[in-house]
Amino acid sequence: MLPRISRTALSILWITVALTMVGCNRKTIYSRYQPTPLEGWEPNDRLTFSIEPMKTAGSYEEIVGLRTTSDYPFMRLTLIVEQELFPTHQLMVDTIDVPIVDEDGAILGNGVSTFQYTFPLRRLDLNQGDSLQVSIHHFMKRELLPGISDVGFTVARHQ
């Protein structure tokens, strides 16, 4: 029988792995995950990510990351991603419907007790000095959503 790992220890492990991967990838300019409440993620619990001004202009890819446990009760998850681009104050809103399990009930994420997913969001052409404020929340019929442990956002140079 495997020892049970606390949520805090598991989060620290994921952060360490993510930082190691980010440190080895010069294309990634921003990558952060935020935990959701243990009792469940409510639609009003918006997770925000602040991306500092770009050092160089270019084409960038945005990726949404997700970590779930086996407590997640649905086959899909609908997320709303709201972004404001500074200094222009351009607003962008995306709704993404992401598969968590296939039609046979097999989990599509990678992992053992926590499952990791990544979903491409959009490609943006950004100028030097542009920054982003990103907000992510779920758009599901169930108010209190169990089984979502962390949500992340990554910005990487497109090549």
Side-chain angles (χ1 to χ4, degrees), residues 60-72:
Y60 294 88
E61 297 175 85
E62 296 179 323
I63 301 162
V64 174
L66 181 68
R67 295 184 188 126
T68 67
T69 67
S70 57
D71 294 333
Y72 186 71

Side-chain angles (χ1 to χ4, degrees), residues 7 13 28 49-50 112 124 137 148 154:
R7 185 173 179 164
L13 175 66
T28 300
F49 303 88
S50 297
V112 178
L124 285 176
H137 64 279
I148 305 293
T154 299

Side-chain angles (χ1 to χ4, degrees), residues 12-28:
I12 290 170
L13 175 66
W14 277 114
I15 289 168
T16 302
V17 169
L19 288 175
T20 302
M21 290 172 50
V22 169
C24 297
N25 185 349
R26 295 189 186 268
K27 287 178 30 174
T28 300

Side-chain angles (χ1 to χ4, degrees), residues 23-152:
C24 297
N25 185 349
R26 295 189 186 268
K27 287 178 30 174
T28 300
I29 62 160
Y30 179 90
S31 186
R32 304 282 186 284
Y33 276 80
Q34 292 188 22
T36 60
L38 284 173
E39 61 277 1
W41 189 23
E42 294 186 49
N44 295 342
D45 293 335
R46 294 173 184 260
L47 303 171
T48 58
F49 303 88
S50 297
I51 294 88
E52 294 186 9
M54 298 293 127
K55 292 182 179 170
T56 58
S59 182
Y60 294 88
E61 297 175 85
E62 296 179 323
I63 301 162
V64 174
L66 181 68
R67 295 184 188 126
T68 67
T69 67
S70 57
D71 294 333
Y72 186 71
F74 302 110
M75 295 180 71
R76 306 187 75 75
L77 172 65
T78 302
L79 297 172
I80 306 293
V81 182
E82 299 171 350
Q83 301 182 65
E84 185 171 3
L85 176 64
F86 294 98
T88 63
H89 296 283
Q90 176 185 355
L91 297 175
M92 299 167 278
V93 179
D94 294 285
T95 302
I96 57 175
D97 184 45
V98 295
I100 303 299
V101 298
D102 66 16
E103 297 80 26
D104 298 323
I107 295 173
L108 297 172
N110 297 318
V112 178
S113 62
T114 300
F115 305 98
Q116 174 81 35
Y117 303 83
T118 56
F119 306 99
L121 180 63
R122 66 168 56 220
R123 187 177 304 158
L124 285 176
D125 291 323
L126 299 173
N127 297 312
Q128 182 179 359
D130 284 354
S131 64
L132 291 164
Q133 182 72 30
V134 179
S135 171
I136 301 176
H137 64 279
H138 79 78
F139 188 68
M140 300 290 286
K141 290 181 181 181
R142 187 171 181 175
E143 287 291 316
L144 194 60
L145 200 57
I148 305 293
S149 62
D150 303 279
V151 177

